[in-house]
Amino acid sequence: MLIGEFIQKHQTTKDTVRFYVQEGLLTPVRRGRNYWYSAADESDFDQIKTLQQMGFSISAIKQIREQHEKHCGTTEQWQFNLHLIDDELAEISVQEKQLADRRAGLTDLKEQLLALLDSASEGGETTI
């Protein structure tokens, strides 16, 4: 299929598809002036989007693909992927800690403001 049909079918943009081609993540066949996207390209695109939704960067996705091409179904590939997953889980833990700290700060500020509003409604004006 041509790029127009591909982007419509996958609800994406030409820029996104061209970027993936430039990065070597999609490898359409060139036919004259046009690229032809195969079922394999569609599968690769779906895998890229799935990995991105899991938080993997384009660089990591390229590494995953390289490992798949060189060491598919081997313990080396599985160990490499496990390492990448551990890195992503560690990053999620950092983000969770940051969100918990943010929640605690906002909750504390909210409680202070509620106390001030309660105090003001009883007639005692106070400022933070």
Side-chain angles (χ1 to χ4, degrees):
M1 79 182 67
L2 295 173
I3 193 168
E5 184 181 350
F6 186 91
I7 64 172
Q8 186 175 18
K9 184 174 182 179
H10 294 280
Q11 300 178 352
T12 189
T13 65
K14 281 184 181 181
D15 288 340
T16 298
V17 173
R18 288 178 179 152
F19 176 73
Y20 293 160
V21 170
Q22 179 184 348
E23 292 295 316
L25 293 171
L26 293 178
T27 55
V29 175
R30 185 143 195 170
R31 291 186 180 168
R33 294 178 40 175
N34 298 312
Y35 286 102
W36 187 259
Y37 295 87
S38 67
D41 293 312
E42 291 186 87
S43 177
D44 289 344
F45 182 84
D46 291 340
Q47 290 173 1
I48 293 164
K49 298 314 273 181
T50 297
L51 290 169
Q52 283 182 317
Q53 289 171 351
M54 288 184 206
F56 288 103
S57 67
I58 292 296
S59 175
I61 294 169
K62 287 168 72 172
Q63 291 174 343
I64 290 167
R65 182 176 176 149
E66 182 180 312
Q67 286 294 314
H68 177 74
E69 289 172 359
K70 290 182 179 178
H71 307 288
C72 183
T74 66
T75 57
E76 184 174 342
Q77 178 196 17
W78 301 332
Q79 288 172 340
F80 180 83
N81 289 345
L82 184 60
H83 175 72
L84 284 178
I85 290 168
D86 284 341
D87 288 349
E88 287 299 319
L89 288 171
E91 179 60 28
I92 288 170
S93 293
V94 167
Q95 292 172 0
E96 287 175 333
K97 170 75 168 98
Q98 291 169 342
L99 285 171
D101 291 346
R102 184 175 168 206
R103 177 183 293 276
L106 288 169
T107 299
D108 184 50
L109 183 57
K110 179 180 177 180
E111 289 172 2
Q112 290 176 36
L113 289 169
L114 287 171
L116 287 172
L117 286 169
D118 188 46
S119 175
S121 69
E122 293 174 1
E125 291 291 322
T126 311
T127 59
I128 292 183

